[in-house]
Amino acid sequence: MKKLILLTVFLFIGTYINSQNITAKLTDKNNGTPIPYATIKTGKFSGVISNEEGYFSLNLEDIQTKTITISCMGYQSKTLRVDTIKTMNFTIPLEAAVNQLSEVYISSNKKPNADSIIAKVKVKLNENYDINLNKYNIFYRGTEYANFKSLDFEIEKASHVKSKNLKKANKSLDSFSKYIVSSKIIHFSDFKGELLSLDKDSSKLVVNKATKLIDDKNDFSIDAVEEKAKTLVLKYLDTTKTYKVKTGLFKVEDSLSLKGEDLNDNKKNEYEVSHLKGTTASLLRKSMFVDNTLLKTILDPKLYDYTLENVGYNNDDLIYTVSYKPRKGKAKYTGKLFISDDNYAVTKVDYKYYGSRHGEKVNLKLILGIKFIQNVSEGTYLYEKNSKNKYQPKYIKKIEGSYFYINRDLKLIENSQEKNKVGFSFKIEGNDRNKQELLFTDVNDITLEDFTLIKQEKVAPYTMLKAFEKTTWQNEETLEPLEEMKQFKSGE
């Protein structure tokens, strides 16, 4: 029994530490809850952050001094040697910081004013942030979720199809619908590379490594669901024929046949680099306090009201916590700004929709059987100071989600003289959510010549994974995966 216990302990530790990597968790000392988005500095201008569950990983070879400094707003900073983490069972408790607001009132003889703080932030924007001619080493993770509330298919007309086959087809469609509704649909995309920024509008991307963690059998985007349903129907028709699709007012001239099922087998595992660049460059631009960005809008006192909620220390810097909410109807967001007293730089931003406010909305339910509401928009921006005493983004999280409803009638028209038709309808209702995360592991100056010489490739190969493999990104600076990713397995 003793040997079994020792073996278990050895295996447990082996999952957290090896010759190069160590994984630990940050928790609140008082209640044991995980602490997300804390900065773990391994050098003056290097380090990682903790994920939403409080976990972080370090490559021991990157820590020259063998010490790390952990800081997070609301908690006391902590410096410790890496070799002591093992003795703490890989769990590092942080003590809550005391609200310093009353002390600031006493020492300054006056109450800090939220509107005055925001005004000083705006004056200092150009001085505090650097957006031109930079090379960012980045790690990106995209996570897609889908949750179907209901999914109904039914063949309505098929006079030339035997009733036996018609029953089988409807039974298959019903089983397919129930399976999708009960499934947890989630996909992950990771890549690491270099994002080169000429200015706020021009950039290039070099992809060094990429992976995709996805269950091909459970690809249930709306388009994929429709295609799978049509394929099910085809199986009960004359499989030697091809068919055209007509949906509502539109007719698709491309022919359908069961042979089309094999086309995906030849699909290359490649990302379009222009798409990846567009995604990451857009996230980077949204982190800048420039015109037509959310962050610049949040600083507009005509649109938002501000309240000073707290004053505390983060890594020896005095930080103001200012909450904001809409003053006028066209403002949509609420959240918090964390602002340095030293230079009035915004070091962190949290945002989400205020109350029942939402983004784009389309309601053509009665006319075209379509309804769409963007009902989730939230995120976090973290910044840190670089060697030039300017602030750069360290981490960006952006989550967008929507409610969708589609009620559509389709016809499969046989490519034959008889032009036999099969009419079936489907109704889909549910919610989707997309989370994008961008970690900046390093930033360096570049010249215009450097930017010009870099060639952006058209495609970048990725490795398709059917289950989470820790060794895939081991010894590299990345975001520690959440438990939902660690437990992912393809349902083959």
Side-chain angles (χ1 to χ4, degrees):
M1 184 67 180
K2 186 177 180 181
K3 289 183 178 179
L4 178 60
I5 293 173
L6 289 173
L7 178 60
T8 303
V9 171
F10 176 77
L11 291 174
F12 174 78
I13 291 175
T15 63
Y16 282 86
I17 187 168
N18 57 36
S19 60
Q20 290 184 315
N21 272 67
I22 187 170
T23 300
K25 183 178 183 180
L26 300 179
T27 60
D28 186 300
K29 186 176 182 179
N30 293 326
N31 54 34
T33 56
I35 300 176
Y37 313 130
T39 299
I40 300 91
K41 278 191 167 293
T42 57
K44 192 172 182 180
F45 303 109
S46 62
V48 296
I49 65 166
S50 58
N51 70 10
E52 294 174 33
E53 296 168 346
Y55 286 99
F56 66 92
S57 287
L58 299 173
N59 184 347
L60 301 183
E61 293 186 346
D62 292 336
I63 309 173
Q64 296 178 356
T65 62
K66 303 305 177 186
T67 62
I68 58 173
T69 299
I70 302 169
S71 59
C72 182
M73 189 61 199
Y75 292 90
Q76 296 180 27
S77 297
K78 191 167 192 171
T79 299
L80 70 161
R81 288 184 57 83
V82 176
D83 55 16
T84 64
I85 296 177
K86 181 179 177 180
T87 65
M88 304 167 75
N89 292 323
F90 304 97
T91 301
I92 304 171
L94 299 184
E95 293 188 28
V98 178
N99 188 323
Q100 306 285 329
L101 192 54
S102 58
E103 293 183 22
V104 172
Y105 291 169
I106 295 171
S107 62
S108 64
N109 247 348
K110 64 179 181 178
K111 181 179 179 179
N113 179 273
D115 291 326
S116 174
I117 292 171
I118 296 299
K120 291 175 181 177
V121 167
K122 295 176 70 175
V123 170
K124 292 275 196 173
L125 285 179
N126 291 334
E127 183 180 327
N128 282 327
Y129 299 91
D130 184 16
I131 61 176
N132 297 328
L133 286 173
N134 289 312
K135 182 179 76 171
Y136 302 93
N137 290 346
I138 61 170
F139 175 79
Y140 170 89
R141 174 167 294 144
T143 310
E144 296 181 28
Y145 307 84
N147 175 29
F148 290 91
K149 292 182 178 179
S150 63
L151 182 60
D152 299 314
F153 294 98
E154 185 179 4
I155 298 179
E156 297 170 337
K157 297 177 182 179
S159 56
H160 66 294
V161 180
K162 295 178 181 179
S163 61
K164 178 178 66 175
N165 283 358
L166 199 59
K167 287 181 181 179
K168 287 182 178 179
N170 276 323
K171 187 176 180 180
S172 294
L173 289 171
D174 184 58
S175 297
F176 177 56
S177 300
K178 290 177 179 177
Y179 174 71
I180 293 176
V181 171
S182 64
S183 297
K184 181 182 179 182
I185 304 162
I186 183 169
H187 300 155
F188 303 94
S189 302
D190 289 355
F191 77 85
K192 192 170 186 178
E194 298 166 355
L195 181 63
L196 296 96
S197 174
L198 175 63
D199 52 40
K200 63 184 177 64
D201 297 315
S202 300
S203 57
K204 294 179 181 180
L205 178 67
V206 177
V207 178
N208 299 326
K209 182 178 178 180
T211 61
K212 183 176 280 192
L213 187 56
I214 186 172
D215 188 347
D216 282 335
K217 303 297 181 184
N218 289 343
D219 180 7
F220 294 141
S221 63
I222 293 175
D223 290 340
V225 168
E226 184 178 327
E227 287 301 314
K228 290 176 187 290
K230 287 187 289 192
T231 299
L232 274 176
V233 174
L234 285 172
K235 289 181 178 179
Y236 296 96
L237 306 182
D238 187 340
T239 57
T240 64
K241 303 285 179 62
T242 60
Y243 298 82
K244 291 179 181 177
V245 182
K246 184 177 182 181
T247 170
L249 301 175
F250 306 100
K251 187 172 182 179
V252 181
E253 295 297 337
D254 294 336
S255 293
L256 283 177
S257 73
L258 284 176
K259 295 177 182 177
E261 286 184 285
D262 300 326
L263 294 177
N264 286 334
D265 293 340
N266 297 321
K267 185 180 176 181
K268 292 182 178 180
N269 290 346
E270 292 178 337
Y271 283 122
E272 290 187 12
V273 176
S274 60
H275 174 71
L276 298 183
K277 192 267 288 189
T279 298
T280 51
S282 174
L283 288 172
L284 176 61
R285 191 183 191 282
K286 285 179 170 62
S287 74
M288 301 173 183
F289 294 86
V290 294
D291 291 341
N292 302 317
T293 63
L294 168 64
L295 297 186
K296 191 68 177 289
T297 303
I298 288 172
L299 296 177
D300 187 346
K302 294 179 182 179
L303 298 176
Y304 287 92
D305 285 321
Y306 309 100
T307 303
L308 179 61
E309 291 198 349
N310 187 13
V311 179
Y313 286 92
N314 182 21
N315 203 21
D316 297 327
D317 290 331
L318 186 66
I319 303 291
Y320 298 111
T321 303
V322 177
S323 64
Y324 60 92
K325 63 180 181 180
R327 170 175 285 188
K328 291 190 176 181
K330 65 179 182 179
K332 296 181 179 180
Y333 292 91
T334 185
K336 292 182 180 180
L337 298 164
F338 299 82
I339 301 163
S340 170
D341 172 67
D342 179 50
N343 49 25
Y344 292 94
V346 176
T347 61
K348 181 181 178 183
V349 181
D350 291 325
Y351 70 92
K352 65 179 180 179
Y353 279 141
Y354 176 75
S356 60
R357 299 190 185 186
H358 55 78
E360 185 180 354
K361 180 178 180 179
V362 176
N363 191 354
L364 300 173
K365 200 170 183 178
L366 297 178
I367 303 173
L368 295 176
I370 297 172
K371 185 175 181 180
F372 169 89
I373 304 173
Q374 185 184 3
N375 52 17
V376 177
S377 179
E378 61 185 67
T380 296
Y381 297 89
L382 291 178
Y383 301 87
E384 69 176 9
K385 197 179 291 187
N386 62 21
S387 58
K388 297 184 295 181
N389 218 28
K390 299 272 191 176
Y391 284 82
Q392 301 285 355
K394 177 64 179 177
Y395 170 74
I396 298 171
K397 180 180 75 172
K398 175 187 174 186
I399 300 176
E400 292 189 338
S402 59
Y403 162 84
F404 57 85
Y405 171 92
I406 299 176
N407 192 345
R408 184 180 297 174
D409 293 325
L410 294 104
K411 285 183 182 178
L412 299 182
I413 306 170
E414 191 177 276
N415 286 323
S416 66
Q417 190 172 0
E418 295 80 10
K419 294 190 180 296
N420 292 316
K421 299 180 181 65
V422 176
F424 75 100
S425 64
F426 76 92
K427 181 176 73 174
I428 299 178
E429 183 180 19
N431 295 281
D432 62 20
R433 189 160 53 98
N434 176 267
K435 178 167 67 174
Q436 298 177 329
E437 297 177 275
L438 191 60
L439 176 67
F440 298 80
T441 58
D442 196 13
V443 58
N444 292 286
D445 293 337
I446 56 171
T447 64
L448 179 58
E449 184 181 8
D450 294 332
F451 183 86
T452 305
L453 290 174
I454 290 295
K455 179 184 177 183
Q456 179 176 294
E457 301 294 339
K458 291 184 177 180
V459 296
Y462 63 81
T463 302
M464 178 69 79
L465 305 174
K466 297 187 179 298
F468 173 73
E469 299 174 12
K470 186 173 179 62
T471 55
T472 303
W473 290 99
Q474 202 162 349
N475 303 327
E476 299 189 51
E477 287 184 310
T478 65
L479 288 166
E480 182 66 13
L482 300 180
E483 192 63 28
E484 64 184 6
M485 187 174 184
K486 293 176 183 178
Q487 298 300 322
F488 182 92
K489 288 184 180 180
S490 177
E492 293 183 319

